[in-house]
Amino acid sequence: MSSSVIQTFELKKYYSGQTKALDGVDLDVRAGEFIAVMGASGSGKSTLLHLIAGLTRPTSGRILVEGLDPASMSDGALTRFRRRRIGLVFQSFNLIPHLTAQENILIPMLAEGKKRKEAAARAEELAEALGIRQQLGQHPDTLSGGEQQRVTLARTLSLNPAILLADEPTGNLDSVSSQHICEILDRLCRNAGRTILLVTHEPAVAVWSQRLLILKDGKLIADMPTSQFSDAHHLAAAYQETVEQNRAAAGEAEE
Ligand SMILES: Nc1ncnc2c1ncn2[C@@H]1O[C@H](COP(=O)(O)OP(=O)(O)OP(=O)(O)O)[C@@H](O)[C@H]1O
Ligand SMILES: [Mg+2]
Protein backbone atom coordinates (compact mmCIF):
# COMPACT_ATOMS: atom_id res chain seq x y z
CA MET A 1 0.00 0.00 0.00
CA SER A 2 1.41 3.39 -0.93
CA SER A 3 2.00 6.01 1.69
CA SER A 4 -0.24 8.86 2.78
CA VAL A 5 0.42 12.14 1.01
CA ILE A 6 -2.35 14.24 2.51
CA GLN A 7 -4.07 13.58 5.81
CA THR A 8 -6.63 15.69 7.62
CA PHE A 9 -7.94 15.05 11.10
CA GLU A 10 -11.21 16.59 12.30
CA LEU A 11 -10.41 19.54 10.09
CA LYS A 12 -12.58 22.59 10.69
CA LYS A 13 -12.72 26.04 9.22
CA TYR A 14 -15.30 28.41 10.64
CA TYR A 15 -15.71 31.97 9.50
CA SER A 16 -16.98 34.71 11.75
CA GLY A 17 -20.68 34.40 12.24
CA GLN A 18 -22.21 31.03 11.58
CA THR A 19 -20.37 29.83 8.50
CA LYS A 20 -18.96 26.36 8.97
CA ALA A 21 -17.06 26.18 5.69
CA LEU A 22 -15.48 22.91 6.76
CA ASP A 23 -16.90 21.01 9.70
CA GLY A 24 -14.74 18.08 10.77
CA VAL A 25 -13.18 16.39 7.75
CA ASP A 26 -11.04 13.26 8.05
CA LEU A 27 -9.21 12.37 4.89
CA ASP A 28 -6.35 10.13 3.86
CA VAL A 29 -4.97 10.57 0.35
CA ARG A 30 -2.40 8.02 -0.80
CA ALA A 31 0.46 8.63 -3.21
CA GLY A 32 -0.60 8.34 -6.84
CA GLU A 33 -4.32 8.71 -6.21
CA PHE A 34 -6.53 10.79 -8.49
CA ILE A 35 -9.38 12.06 -6.34
CA ALA A 36 -12.40 14.10 -7.40
CA VAL A 37 -14.25 16.31 -4.94
CA MET A 38 -17.87 17.18 -5.69
CA GLY A 39 -20.52 19.06 -3.75
CA ALA A 40 -22.97 21.93 -4.06
CA SER A 41 -21.80 25.52 -4.24
CA GLY A 42 -20.71 26.59 -0.75
CA SER A 43 -20.15 23.02 0.50
CA GLY A 44 -16.48 23.72 1.34
CA LYS A 45 -14.60 22.31 -1.66
CA SER A 46 -12.34 25.31 -2.27
CA THR A 47 -11.86 25.76 1.46
CA LEU A 48 -10.52 22.21 1.69
CA LEU A 49 -8.01 22.84 -1.11
CA HIS A 50 -6.95 26.19 0.35
CA LEU A 51 -6.32 24.61 3.75
CA ILE A 52 -4.25 21.78 2.27
CA ALA A 53 -2.21 24.30 0.26
CA GLY A 54 -1.64 26.33 3.43
CA LEU A 55 -3.32 29.39 1.92
CA THR A 56 -5.53 29.65 4.98
CA ARG A 57 -5.25 28.20 8.47
CA PRO A 58 -7.72 25.81 10.11
CA THR A 59 -9.94 26.86 13.00
CA SER A 60 -9.19 23.48 14.55
CA GLY A 61 -8.02 20.03 13.56
CA ARG A 62 -4.87 19.06 11.77
CA ILE A 63 -3.45 18.70 8.26
CA LEU A 64 -0.38 16.78 7.18
CA VAL A 65 1.02 17.13 3.69
CA GLU A 66 3.89 14.71 3.08
CA GLY A 67 4.08 14.45 6.86
CA LEU A 68 4.41 18.21 7.37
CA ASP A 69 1.85 20.51 8.93
CA PRO A 70 1.42 23.65 6.79
CA ALA A 71 -0.27 25.46 9.70
CA SER A 72 2.92 25.17 11.77
CA MET A 73 5.35 26.38 9.08
CA SER A 74 6.73 29.88 8.81
CA ASP A 75 5.53 31.87 5.79
CA GLY A 76 8.91 31.46 4.07
CA ALA A 77 9.06 27.71 4.64
CA LEU A 78 5.48 27.35 3.49
CA THR A 79 6.11 29.28 0.28
CA ARG A 80 9.15 27.14 -0.54
CA PHE A 81 7.31 23.92 0.30
CA ARG A 82 4.37 24.91 -1.85
CA ARG A 83 6.58 25.89 -4.78
CA ARG A 84 8.58 22.66 -4.69
CA ARG A 85 5.88 20.11 -3.93
CA ILE A 86 2.42 21.47 -4.68
CA GLY A 87 0.90 22.66 -7.94
CA LEU A 88 -2.16 24.87 -7.67
CA VAL A 89 -4.70 25.40 -10.41
CA PHE A 90 -7.42 27.67 -9.18
CA GLN A 91 -10.42 29.31 -10.80
CA SER A 92 -8.81 32.69 -11.33
CA PHE A 93 -6.14 32.53 -13.98
CA ASN A 94 -3.54 34.89 -12.51
CA LEU A 95 -1.66 35.19 -15.75
CA ILE A 96 0.63 38.20 -16.07
CA PRO A 97 -0.96 40.38 -18.78
CA HIS A 98 2.15 41.97 -20.29
CA LEU A 99 3.90 38.61 -20.79
CA THR A 100 3.22 36.13 -23.58
CA ALA A 101 1.77 32.70 -22.87
CA GLN A 102 5.23 31.19 -23.21
CA GLU A 103 6.80 33.71 -20.82
CA ASN A 104 4.03 33.05 -18.30
CA ILE A 105 4.73 29.32 -18.43
CA LEU A 106 8.47 29.95 -17.97
CA ILE A 107 8.14 32.00 -14.76
CA PRO A 108 8.15 29.25 -12.12
CA MET A 109 10.89 27.29 -13.93
CA LEU A 110 13.17 30.34 -14.14
CA ALA A 111 12.39 31.18 -10.50
CA GLU A 112 13.57 27.69 -9.60
CA GLY A 113 16.84 28.26 -11.44
CA LYS A 114 16.16 26.17 -14.53
CA LYS A 115 18.19 27.14 -17.61
CA ARG A 116 16.20 29.17 -20.12
CA LYS A 117 16.74 26.69 -22.95
CA GLU A 118 15.57 23.72 -20.88
CA ALA A 119 12.62 25.72 -19.58
CA ALA A 120 11.62 26.71 -23.12
CA ALA A 121 11.78 23.08 -24.27
CA ARG A 122 9.59 22.01 -21.36
CA ALA A 123 7.12 24.82 -22.10
CA GLU A 124 6.87 23.65 -25.74
CA GLU A 125 6.33 20.06 -24.68
CA LEU A 126 3.51 21.03 -22.32
CA ALA A 127 1.96 23.44 -24.83
CA GLU A 128 1.96 20.64 -27.40
CA ALA A 129 0.30 18.23 -24.96
CA LEU A 130 -2.32 20.83 -24.01
CA GLY A 131 -2.97 21.96 -27.57
CA ILE A 132 -1.83 25.57 -27.16
CA ARG A 133 1.43 25.48 -29.12
CA GLN A 134 0.16 27.94 -31.73
CA GLN A 135 -0.76 30.38 -28.97
CA LEU A 136 2.57 30.55 -27.14
CA GLY A 137 3.44 33.98 -28.55
CA GLN A 138 0.10 35.58 -27.65
CA HIS A 139 -0.69 37.72 -24.64
CA PRO A 140 -3.37 36.51 -22.18
CA ASP A 141 -5.98 39.08 -23.27
CA THR A 142 -5.85 37.70 -26.83
CA LEU A 143 -6.47 34.12 -25.69
CA SER A 144 -9.85 32.47 -25.18
CA GLY A 145 -10.86 31.54 -21.63
CA GLY A 146 -10.09 27.89 -22.26
CA GLU A 147 -6.69 28.73 -23.72
CA GLN A 148 -5.86 30.90 -20.71
CA GLN A 149 -6.83 28.03 -18.48
CA ARG A 150 -4.51 25.69 -20.36
CA VAL A 151 -1.64 28.18 -20.11
CA THR A 152 -2.22 28.27 -16.34
CA LEU A 153 -2.21 24.48 -16.24
CA ALA A 154 1.02 24.33 -18.30
CA ARG A 155 2.63 26.82 -15.93
CA THR A 156 1.63 24.70 -12.93
CA LEU A 157 2.71 21.41 -14.47
CA SER A 158 6.06 22.85 -15.62
CA LEU A 159 7.62 22.10 -12.24
CA ASN A 160 6.17 18.60 -12.23
CA PRO A 161 4.58 18.95 -8.79
CA ALA A 162 4.17 15.85 -6.63
CA ILE A 163 0.75 17.04 -5.53
CA LEU A 164 -1.69 18.83 -7.79
CA LEU A 165 -4.60 20.70 -6.20
CA ALA A 166 -7.00 21.77 -8.91
CA ASP A 167 -10.17 23.80 -8.36
CA GLU A 168 -12.46 23.34 -11.36
CA PRO A 169 -9.59 23.33 -13.84
CA THR A 170 -11.92 22.47 -16.70
CA GLY A 171 -14.67 24.92 -15.71
CA ASN A 172 -14.31 27.12 -18.79
CA LEU A 173 -13.46 24.46 -21.33
CA ASP A 174 -15.51 22.81 -24.06
CA SER A 175 -16.09 19.11 -23.50
CA VAL A 176 -13.37 17.98 -25.94
CA SER A 177 -10.65 20.13 -24.31
CA SER A 178 -11.93 19.13 -20.92
CA GLN A 179 -11.63 15.41 -21.70
CA HIS A 180 -8.16 16.05 -23.12
CA ILE A 181 -7.05 17.62 -19.84
CA CYS A 182 -8.51 14.72 -17.89
CA GLU A 183 -6.44 12.34 -20.01
CA ILE A 184 -3.32 14.33 -19.17
CA LEU A 185 -4.13 14.29 -15.45
CA ASP A 186 -4.92 10.59 -15.56
CA ARG A 187 -1.55 9.88 -17.21
CA LEU A 188 0.25 11.98 -14.59
CA CYS A 189 -1.15 9.77 -11.84
CA ARG A 190 -0.71 6.45 -13.60
CA ASN A 191 2.73 6.96 -15.11
CA ALA A 192 4.37 9.61 -12.99
CA GLY A 193 2.91 8.77 -9.59
CA ARG A 194 1.53 12.27 -9.06
CA THR A 195 -1.29 12.77 -6.57
CA ILE A 196 -4.28 14.82 -7.68
CA LEU A 197 -7.13 16.35 -5.74
CA LEU A 198 -9.54 17.89 -8.20
CA VAL A 199 -12.71 19.85 -7.48
CA THR A 200 -15.33 19.62 -10.19
CA HIS A 201 -19.05 20.02 -10.81
CA GLU A 202 -18.87 17.82 -13.91
CA PRO A 203 -19.53 14.08 -13.69
CA ALA A 204 -17.70 13.65 -17.03
CA VAL A 205 -14.57 14.95 -15.32
CA ALA A 206 -15.05 13.17 -11.98
CA VAL A 207 -15.41 9.82 -13.74
CA TRP A 208 -11.70 10.00 -14.64
CA SER A 209 -10.74 9.89 -10.97
CA GLN A 210 -10.18 6.77 -8.90
CA ARG A 211 -12.04 8.00 -5.88
CA LEU A 212 -14.94 10.38 -5.39
CA LEU A 213 -15.44 12.53 -2.30
CA ILE A 214 -18.71 14.35 -1.75
CA LEU A 215 -18.92 17.37 0.54
CA LYS A 216 -22.13 18.76 1.97
CA ASP A 217 -22.27 21.68 4.39
CA GLY A 218 -18.59 21.26 5.24
CA LYS A 219 -18.87 17.54 5.93
CA LEU A 220 -17.67 14.58 3.93
CA ILE A 221 -20.81 12.58 3.20
CA ALA A 222 -19.27 10.05 0.81
CA ASP A 223 -15.90 8.58 -0.08
CA MET A 224 -16.21 5.94 -2.80
CA PRO A 225 -14.17 4.25 -5.51
CA THR A 226 -15.21 5.33 -9.01
CA SER A 227 -14.36 1.95 -10.57
CA GLN A 228 -17.95 0.92 -9.79
CA PHE A 229 -19.29 3.50 -12.27
CA SER A 230 -19.61 2.45 -15.88
CA ASP A 231 -19.79 6.05 -17.13
CA ALA A 232 -20.41 9.67 -16.20
CA HIS A 233 -24.22 9.23 -16.15
CA HIS A 234 -23.89 6.41 -13.66
CA LEU A 235 -21.62 8.56 -11.47
CA ALA A 236 -24.01 11.51 -11.70
CA ALA A 237 -26.92 9.31 -10.60
CA ALA A 238 -24.93 7.97 -7.63
CA TYR A 239 -23.98 11.52 -6.68
CA GLN A 240 -27.62 12.66 -6.73
CA GLU A 241 -28.73 9.65 -4.77
CA THR A 242 -26.06 10.17 -2.09
CA VAL A 243 -26.96 13.82 -1.65
CA GLU A 244 -30.68 13.05 -1.47
CA GLN A 245 -30.24 10.19 1.01
CA ASN A 246 -28.12 12.45 3.18
CA ARG A 247 -30.73 15.17 3.01
CA ALA A 248 -33.51 12.73 3.97
CA ALA A 249 -31.41 11.34 6.84
CA ALA A 250 -30.81 14.86 8.11
CA GLY A 251 -34.56 15.45 7.99
CA GLU A 252 -34.24 18.35 5.59
CA ALA A 253 -37.09 19.32 3.35
CA GLU A 254 -36.77 18.77 -0.39
CA GLU A 255 -35.80 21.96 -2.14
N1 LIG B 1 -13.03 34.29 3.40
C1 LIG B 1 -14.27 33.92 3.74
N2 LIG B 1 -15.00 34.62 4.64
C2 LIG B 1 -16.24 34.23 4.99
N3 LIG B 1 -16.85 33.14 4.50
C3 LIG B 1 -16.18 32.41 3.60
C4 LIG B 1 -14.85 32.76 3.16
N4 LIG B 1 -14.44 31.82 2.25
C5 LIG B 1 -15.47 30.95 2.12
N5 LIG B 1 -16.50 31.28 2.92
C6 LIG B 1 -17.79 30.57 3.04
O1 LIG B 1 -17.53 29.22 3.32
C7 LIG B 1 -18.43 28.37 2.61
C8 LIG B 1 -17.65 27.39 1.75
O2 LIG B 1 -17.03 28.10 0.70
P1 LIG B 1 -16.19 27.39 -0.45
O3 LIG B 1 -15.57 28.45 -1.26
O4 LIG B 1 -15.28 26.39 0.16
O5 LIG B 1 -17.34 26.63 -1.26
P2 LIG B 1 -17.22 25.75 -2.59
O6 LIG B 1 -17.72 24.40 -2.25
O7 LIG B 1 -15.87 25.85 -3.16
O8 LIG B 1 -18.31 26.45 -3.54
P3 LIG B 1 -18.28 26.73 -5.15
O9 LIG B 1 -18.72 25.45 -5.79
O10 LIG B 1 -19.33 27.80 -5.30
O11 LIG B 1 -16.92 27.19 -5.54
C9 LIG B 1 -19.34 29.30 1.84
O12 LIG B 1 -20.54 29.45 2.57
C10 LIG B 1 -18.59 30.60 1.75
O13 LIG B 1 -19.44 31.70 1.69
MG1 LIG C 1 -15.11 26.75 -4.94
Side-chain angles (χ1 to χ4, degrees):
M1 191 78 182
S2 51
S3 58
S4 294
V5 173
I6 301 166
Q7 288 170 288
T8 70
F9 308 92
E10 271 299 300
L11 189 63
K12 294 184 182 172
K13 179 71 179 180
Y14 292 178
Y15 287 104
S16 54
Q18 300 300 314
T19 311
K20 296 179 174 178
L22 222 54
D23 197 18
V25 168
D26 290 290
L27 187 59
D28 186 355
V29 178
R30 324 285 299 184
E33 278 195 293
F34 181 173
I35 297 184
V37 184
M38 294 182 81
S41 178
S43 58
K45 305 179 298 295
S46 297
T47 302
L48 177 64
L49 258 50
H50 290 162
L51 284 163
I52 293 168
L55 296 170
T56 175
R57 287 171 197 254
T59 303
S60 68
R62 200 145 179 254
I63 310 164
L64 291 177
V65 183
E66 295 189 325
L68 299 170
D69 179 354
S72 71
M73 287 187 210
S74 70
D75 286 349
L78 187 57
T79 303
R80 282 190 298 278
F81 176 67
R82 206 185 286 132
R83 201 163 61 205
R84 303 226 163 103
R85 306 298 300 169
I86 304 179
L88 302 176
V89 184
F90 286 166
Q91 277 154 317
S92 53
F93 301 119
N94 281 324
L95 291 172
I96 299 177
H98 64 270
L99 299 180
T100 64
Q102 189 200 30
E103 288 161 343
N104 268 286
I105 298 171
L106 293 179
I107 293 172
M109 293 191 276
L110 298 179
E112 280 296 295
K114 217 172 198 179
K115 294 213 171 64
R116 199 173 177 93
K117 207 170 157 190
E118 272 173 46
R122 173 87 180 135
E124 289 238 342
E125 182 195 331
L126 285 164
E128 180 73 48
L130 292 166
I132 46 167
R133 200 161 175 193
Q134 301 303 314
Q135 284 75 30
L136 278 177
Q138 289 172 231
H139 287 81
D141 64 352
T142 70
L143 296 169
S144 73
E147 287 164 354
Q148 290 180 37
Q149 202 155 22
R150 282 179 278 167
V151 172
T152 311
L153 192 58
R155 185 182 59 184
T156 301
L157 295 178
S158 70
L159 293 181
N160 206 4
I163 303 167
L164 185 69
L165 302 177
D167 202 345
E168 299 186 47
T170 58
N172 294 302
L173 298 177
D174 61 87
S175 59
V176 173
S177 305
S178 167
Q179 291 298 301
H180 190 183
I181 291 204
C182 291
E183 264 170 57
I184 290 169
L185 298 180
D186 177 62
R187 242 182 287 137
L188 276 173
C189 286
R190 284 179 202 284
N191 306 336
R194 304 294 151 202
T195 306
I196 299 180
L197 202 55
L198 174 148
V199 168
T200 184
H201 286 285
E202 300 163 76
V205 170
V207 78
W208 282 86
S209 70
Q210 296 154 18
R211 196 172 144 196
L212 173 66
L213 307 180
I214 303 175
L215 278 173
K216 183 169 174 282
D217 302 331
K219 291 189 162 74
L220 207 52
I221 61 162
D223 182 347
M224 54 177 97
T226 57
S227 53
Q228 61 185 304
F229 305 124
S230 50
D231 58 23
H233 296 291
H234 189 189
L235 183 146
Y239 170 76
Q240 281 305 332
E241 195 186 339
T242 304
V243 172
E244 271 154 34
Q245 272 174 3
N246 181 274
R247 189 186 288 150
E252 292 167 32
E254 289 278 335
E255 270 155 39

